[in-house]
C-alpha cells in the first residue's frame, strides 16, 4: 500500500528541535519510498483549527512536539480515523513515553514497517478538548505553569527539574493552597484537594508518579488527589511520593472512573473518557510492556493498603481492546 504521510510540527517544541526532527523524518521516509509532507504551525490554536477542518488527504498522521502538540494533532486522527504516530520532542511527553515512542528516526520507520493500529482511549475536557496524558489542578500544576511561562526554559532535563524544585520552594513560602472539589461518577472524592490529577497515562513517570496504574487501554481515567490543610503537610506527602518512601500513599486518594467533575477557582471542568477513539500505530511489544507495567503497579499499590484506592464505577477496569491491523 502506498502511504501518504502528513507530518505536523510546532517549531517551538523541544526548544526548537522539533522542526529539524520533522525534516529528518521526512528524508528518511522518502528514502524508503513513502510520500510525505511537513506542515508547520506557529502555535497550538492554528494546529487545532487545522485538526478540526483538514481533509482526509493522507493515510497516516505524524505529530512532532510536546504533550500539547500531540493532543492538538490527535484531534485530526480521531476525526478522520487515520493512524496516528506521536514523535515526542519536549520535556514531559507522558503519552508517548507510555508506549515507548522516541525522537528516533529509525524507531519511527520501524513503526511504518512493523506497527499495528491499536485503538486507544483519550480524555476529553468539556466535551471538545482532547487530552492524551492528563489534566492537573492545584499546587503542582501552578508550579509547572510558572516555570513554563518563562521565555528561556532550561534545555537539559536536570536543569529543568531543578527549575521546578526552585519554583516549588517559592510556592511553599508564598502561594496559598487552592481548594479543589472533585466528583467521580457523581460521588464526591474531595472538597478541598490541594493537588489533583486526572490521567489517561501514568503522570510524571520516572520522576513523581501520581497515577502509577493509569493506562490508555484500560477503559478508565485515574484520579489522584492530595487533600488540603497545611502547606507543610501537602509538601510532605509530595516528597514522600517523589522519594518513594514508606507510607507515601497514606492520606491520598487514588481511584478511577470515566466521568470526573473538577471545580477550582470558580471554574468547573467536565472530564470524560472516550474509549478506543484514537487509532494509534504501535509496535506489538509496546503493548505487552505497557500491560506488564500496569499489572506491576496495581500489585504495588494494593500491597501498600491504600484505603482510598477503590473503583468508583460499578464495573472493573475494561480489558484492553484487541489490536487491529
Amino acid at each position: 500500500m502506498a502511504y501518504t504521510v502528513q507530518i505536523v510540527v510546532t517549531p517551538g517544541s523541544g526548544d526548537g528541535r522539533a522542526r529539524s526532527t520533522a525534516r529528518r523524518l521526512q528524508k528518511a521516509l522518502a528514502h524508503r519510498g513513502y510520500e510525505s509532507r511537513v506542515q508547520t504551525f506557529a502555535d497550538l490554536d492554528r494546529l487545532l483549527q487545522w485538526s478540526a477542518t483538514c481533509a482526509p488527504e493522507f493515510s497516516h498522521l505524524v505529530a512532532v512536539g510536546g504533550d500539547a502538540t500531540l493532543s492538538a494533532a490527535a484531534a485530526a486522527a480521531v476525526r478522520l480515523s487515520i493512524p496516528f504516530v506521536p514523535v515526542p520532542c519536549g520535556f514531559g511527553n507522558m503519552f508517548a513515553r507510555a508506549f515507548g515512542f522516541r525522537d528516533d528516526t529509525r524507531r519511527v520507520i520501524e513503526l511504518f514497517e512493523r506497527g499495528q493500529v491499536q485503538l486507544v482511549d483519550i480524555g476529553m475536557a468539556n466535551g471538545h478538548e482532547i487530552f492524551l496524558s492528563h489534566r492537573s489542578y492545584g499546587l503542582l500544576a501552578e508550579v509547572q505553569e510558572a516555570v513554563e511561562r518563562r521565555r528561556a526554559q532550561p534545555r537539559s532535563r536536570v536543569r529543568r527539574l531543578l527549575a521546578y524544585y526552585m519554583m516549588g520552594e517559592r510556592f511553599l513560602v508564598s502561594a496559598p493552597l487552592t481548594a479543589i472539589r472533585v466528583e467521580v461518577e457523581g460521588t464526591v472524592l474531595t472538597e478541598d484537594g490541594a493537588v489533583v490529577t486526572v490521567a489517561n497515562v501514568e503522570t510524571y513517570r520516572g520522576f513523581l508518579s501520581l497515577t502509577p496504574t493509569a493506562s490508555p487501554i484500560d477503559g478508565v481515567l485515574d484520579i489522584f488527589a492530595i487533600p488540603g490543610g497545611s502547606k507543610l503537610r501537602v509538601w510532605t506527602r509530595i516528597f514522600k511520593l517523589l522519594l518513594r518512601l514508606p507510607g507515601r500513599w497514606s492520606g491520598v486518594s487514588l481511584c478511577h472512573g470515566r466521568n470526573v467533575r473538577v471545580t477550582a477557582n470558580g471554574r468547573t471542568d467536565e472530564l470524560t473518557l472516550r474509549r478506543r477513539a484514537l487509532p494509534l500505530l504501535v509496535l506489538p511489544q509496546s503493548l505487552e510492556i505497557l500491560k506488564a507495567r500496569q499489572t506491576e503497579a496495581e500489585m504495588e499499590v494494593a500491597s501498600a493498603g491504600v484505603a482510598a484506592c477503590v473503583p468508583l464505577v460499578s464495573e472493573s477496569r475494561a480489558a484492553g481492546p484487541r489490536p487491529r491491523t
Side-chain angles (χ1 to χ4, degrees):
M1 176 182 176
Y3 290 158
T4 302
V5 182
Q6 175 67 63
I7 304 172
V8 298
V9 59
T10 49
S13 298
D15 293 317
R17 299 190 308 274
R19 193 199 301 268
S20 61
T21 297
R23 296 297 182 189
R24 187 171 66 248
L25 178 58
Q26 184 184 31
K27 291 180 180 179
L29 288 168
H31 182 69
R32 287 161 177 81
Y34 299 119
E35 179 185 350
S36 63
R37 54 179 178 262
V38 175
Q39 191 162 352
T40 302
F41 296 89
D43 51 50
L44 286 177
D45 287 339
R46 297 182 189 183
L47 176 56
L48 284 167
Q49 184 179 7
W50 176 86
S51 293
T53 58
C54 64
E57 299 173 340
F58 44 91
S59 63
H60 291 70
L61 175 60
V62 177
V64 184
D67 290 314
T69 297
L70 300 185
S71 292
V78 171
R79 182 174 62 86
L80 300 175
S81 296
I82 288 175
F84 182 64
V85 179
V87 179
C89 192
F91 178 73
N93 301 122
M94 285 171 278
F95 179 81
R97 291 178 62 195
F99 291 95
F101 291 107
R102 298 195 300 267
D103 179 10
D104 186 313
T105 301
R106 289 176 297 178
R107 182 81 169 194
V108 177
I109 296 299
E110 186 181 7
L111 282 169
F112 282 93
E113 296 175 345
R114 296 184 49 243
Q116 296 178 344
V117 175
Q118 174 80 30
L119 296 176
V120 303
D121 306 332
I122 61 172
M124 298 294 298
N126 303 315
H128 62 87
E129 184 180 349
I130 290 176
F131 63 94
L132 296 180
S133 55
H134 71 110
R135 292 293 291 263
S136 291
Y137 306 83
L139 188 58
L140 290 182
E142 292 164 1
V143 169
Q144 181 177 350
E145 290 171 4
V147 172
E148 294 179 355
R149 276 198 301 265
R150 297 178 174 181
R151 291 185 178 180
Q153 297 180 17
R155 292 199 173 193
S156 75
R157 185 173 182 83
V158 173
R159 292 182 62 189
R160 179 72 70 90
L161 291 175
L162 181 60
Y164 286 131
Y165 285 131
M166 294 176 64
M167 187 63 69
E169 182 180 3
R170 187 178 305 174
F171 271 68
L172 176 62
V173 175
S174 61
L177 295 177
T178 301
I180 306 167
R181 176 185 171 89
V182 182
E183 300 175 49
V184 183
E185 305 295 343
T187 299
V188 176
L189 182 66
T190 180
E191 295 273 8
D192 65 340
V195 175
V196 172
T197 292
V198 181
N200 188 40
V201 299
E202 184 179 357
T203 306
Y204 308 126
R205 181 165 71 90
F207 168 53
L208 176 62
S209 180
L210 304 181
T211 56
T213 64
S215 169
I217 59 174
D218 66 357
V220 290
L221 295 167
D222 280 41
I223 304 95
F224 169 90
I226 295 179
S230 71
K231 285 191 288 186
L232 179 60
R233 181 177 300 175
V234 172
W235 278 109
T236 298
R237 287 173 173 154
I238 291 173
F239 279 110
K240 281 186 175 182
L241 289 163
L242 177 66
L243 301 175
R244 300 181 62 83
L245 297 177
R248 60 186 177 275
W249 297 108
S250 176
V252 306
S253 297
L254 186 61
C255 64
H256 61 262
R258 295 189 185 128
N259 300 280
V260 186
R261 174 179 292 178
V262 180
T263 302
N265 297 319
R267 173 183 171 179
T268 297
D269 282 347
E270 301 283 351
L271 309 178
T272 57
L273 183 86
R274 282 189 62 184
R275 294 187 60 190
R276 305 182 63 180
L278 175 65
L280 187 70
L281 192 63
V282 297
L283 294 174
Q285 61 264 33
S286 299
L287 297 174
E288 298 305 318
I289 294 172
L290 176 61
K291 292 175 183 177
R293 189 166 63 239
Q294 183 186 21
T295 300
E296 181 181 356
E298 288 176 341
M299 293 177 62
E300 178 185 348
V301 171
S303 65
V306 186
C309 187
V310 294
L312 294 184
V313 291
S314 58
E315 59 185 292
S316 61
R317 289 179 183 266
R322 295 179 180 178
R324 179 170 65 108
T325 59

